[in-house]
Amino acid sequence: MAARVLDPVRILVVDDDPGDVLMIEEALATSDVEKVIDVVGDGQEAMEFLRREGRHTGAQRPDVILLDLNMPRMDGRQVLGEVKGDRDLRTIPIVVLTTSNADTDIISSYTLQANAYVTKPIDLDDFNDVVHRIDEFFGRVVVLPKRA
């Protein structure tokens, strides 16, 4: 039987912290899951990207979103609400990847239909491990919906 050829996994990283974005990109780059990474700096830009508006008219729909909660202009909770309330976008899996471990943030994220909630570890090795596990899970284990 021939091996199934997989398209690269498209990951949209939504995070306003350049240091965290760099660590996420570096961790993703060290895995052997083929992927394309797009990055936006806040929730408002994420919605423009997902709706292909403004400077993101050529954006391609991501297979999974890594979403920080606490950002300026539009925070991650608002993004979750808009994406999961949008008929065309709601099937995109969203992993909340944030520094908060507050019960209220965890509960509100799942209430807004986050697919997973992961607290960013402080230790670099642990951070890399968490990102690798997310990458492996969405890149090899789960079946993702076809892109529209």
Side-chain angles (χ1 to χ4, degrees), residues 48-65:
E48 290 170 3
F49 184 97
L50 292 167
R51 292 181 175 142
R52 298 175 180 137
E53 298 171 345
R55 65 186 182 112
H56 297 290
T57 55
Q60 292 190 32
R61 179 185 174 101
D63 295 307
V64 65
I65 298 170

Side-chain angles (χ1 to χ4, degrees), residues 10-31:
R10 295 196 72 88
I11 301 171
L12 176 61
V13 176
V14 184
D15 199 317
D16 66 321
D17 185 320
D20 284 354
V21 169
L22 182 61
M23 288 192 307
I24 291 167
E25 288 178 317
E26 288 177 350
L28 290 171
T30 60
S31 85

Side-chain angles (χ1 to χ4, degrees), residues 75-145:
D75 70 15
R77 294 160 204 82
Q78 293 168 299
V79 172
L80 264 171
E82 284 204 30
V83 170
K84 295 303 182 178
D86 185 308
R87 188 174 51 85
D88 296 325
L89 301 174
R90 70 175 56 151
T91 59
I92 301 171
I94 298 179
V95 176
V96 173
L97 182 60
T98 187
T99 56
S100 173
N101 61 3
D103 286 341
T104 54
D105 286 335
I106 296 166
I107 291 167
S108 69
S109 294
Y110 282 116
T111 300
L112 291 167
Q113 301 176 358
N115 297 86
Y117 190 100
V118 179
T119 303
K120 293 176 183 173
I122 295 172
D123 178 79
L124 182 59
D125 289 336
D126 292 341
F127 188 95
N128 285 336
D129 184 53
V130 162
V131 173
H132 283 152
R133 287 173 187 251
I134 295 168
D135 187 38
E136 182 73 18
F137 184 70
F138 284 98
R140 296 199 192 281
V141 177
V142 301
V143 176
L144 295 167

